[in-house]
């Protein structure tokens, strides 16, 4: 895929791909907002790529009638990314959403999809990037946490922020309770952030 790609707004319904490794609750929220077949004027989910065959996300996609492709990571990142690029090109994808995708994409992939590659992360970035963000927040004694949707750049959870939602950490919260409240907000802000990008209201700033 050529670097840069189309600018937003496209003037037509965007074709959205989702990469996911796990349960797929964010994928489900994106499918509800952007159903296949054109229920939303901004976008439709046309492809789901999962690196784990057993991921609930792939089942959710198939049940929704969306192309669901398992691309194993066993032959390494380059092989995964070549295969992913081929799938994205074959389905003329405009925008990629990482929804619980537990792999770090290469700087080259991030550059090729610059401005068209979004991630959701369960903390108020730049606080607590990387793995186990909810556990990190609790261990640090944070009184506030939340979630962030951002453009992906060459770093890990470092790209320009599109949307964030703060949440209080409650007395007695454990990883499961805090994560559940954070995820409920992710399901709201991720589709909203996709819409903002597709409307041209949020951009990966030139030079950043
Ligand atoms: C989300 O909390 C997301 O922030 C993180 O992984 C989790 C994925 O959950 N990156 P799900 O698979 O969307 O339910």
């Amino acid at each position: 895929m050529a670097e840069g790609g189309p600018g937003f707004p496209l003037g037509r319904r965007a074709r959205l791909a989702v990469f996911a490794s796990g349960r797929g609750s964010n994928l489900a929220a994106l499918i509800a907002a952007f159903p296949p077949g054109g229920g939303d004027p901004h976008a439709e989910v046309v492809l789901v790529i999962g690196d784990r065959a057993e991921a609930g996300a792939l089942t959710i996609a198939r049940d929704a009638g969306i192309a669901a492709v398992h691309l194993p990571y066993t032959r390494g990142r380059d092989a995964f990314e070549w295969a992913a690029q081929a799938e994205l090109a074959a389905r003329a994808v405009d925008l990629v959403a990482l929804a619980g995708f537990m792999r770090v994409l290469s700087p080259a992939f991030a550059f090729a999809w610059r401005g068209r590659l979004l991630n959701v992360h369960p903390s108020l970035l730049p606080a607590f990037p990387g793995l186990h963000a909810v556990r990190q927040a609790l261990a640090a004694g944070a009184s506030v946490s939340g979630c962030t949707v951002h453009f992906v750049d060459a770093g890990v959870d470092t790209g320009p922020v599109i949307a964030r939602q703060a949440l209080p950490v409650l007395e007695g919260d454990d990883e499961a309770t805090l994560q559940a409240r954070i995820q409920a907000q992710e399901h709201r802000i991720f589709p909203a952030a996709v819409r903002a990008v597709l409307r041209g209201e949020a951009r990966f700033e030139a030079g950043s």
Side-chain angles (χ1 to χ4, degrees), residues 22-27 99-100 102 120-122 183 186:
R23 196 163 69 100
S25 69
N26 278 286
L27 168 65
M102 302 308 287
V120 64
H121 183 79
Q183 284 205 335
E186 291 181 342

Side-chain angles (χ1 to χ4, degrees), residues 175-198:
E175 196 174 348
T177 58
L178 181 55
Q179 177 143 339
R181 290 207 314 289
I182 287 174
Q183 284 205 335
Q185 295 304 315
E186 291 181 342
H187 301 161
R188 194 179 57 75
I189 69 167
F190 206 0
V194 168
R195 275 207 179 87
V197 171
L198 293 175

Side-chain angles (χ1 to χ4, degrees), residues 121-129 133 137 144-148 161 163-167 182 189:
H121 183 79
S123 77
L124 287 180
L125 290 173
F128 311 123
V144 174
S145 192
C147 49
T148 304
V161 169
R164 294 196 299 179
Q165 177 63 55
L167 282 171
I182 287 174
I189 69 167

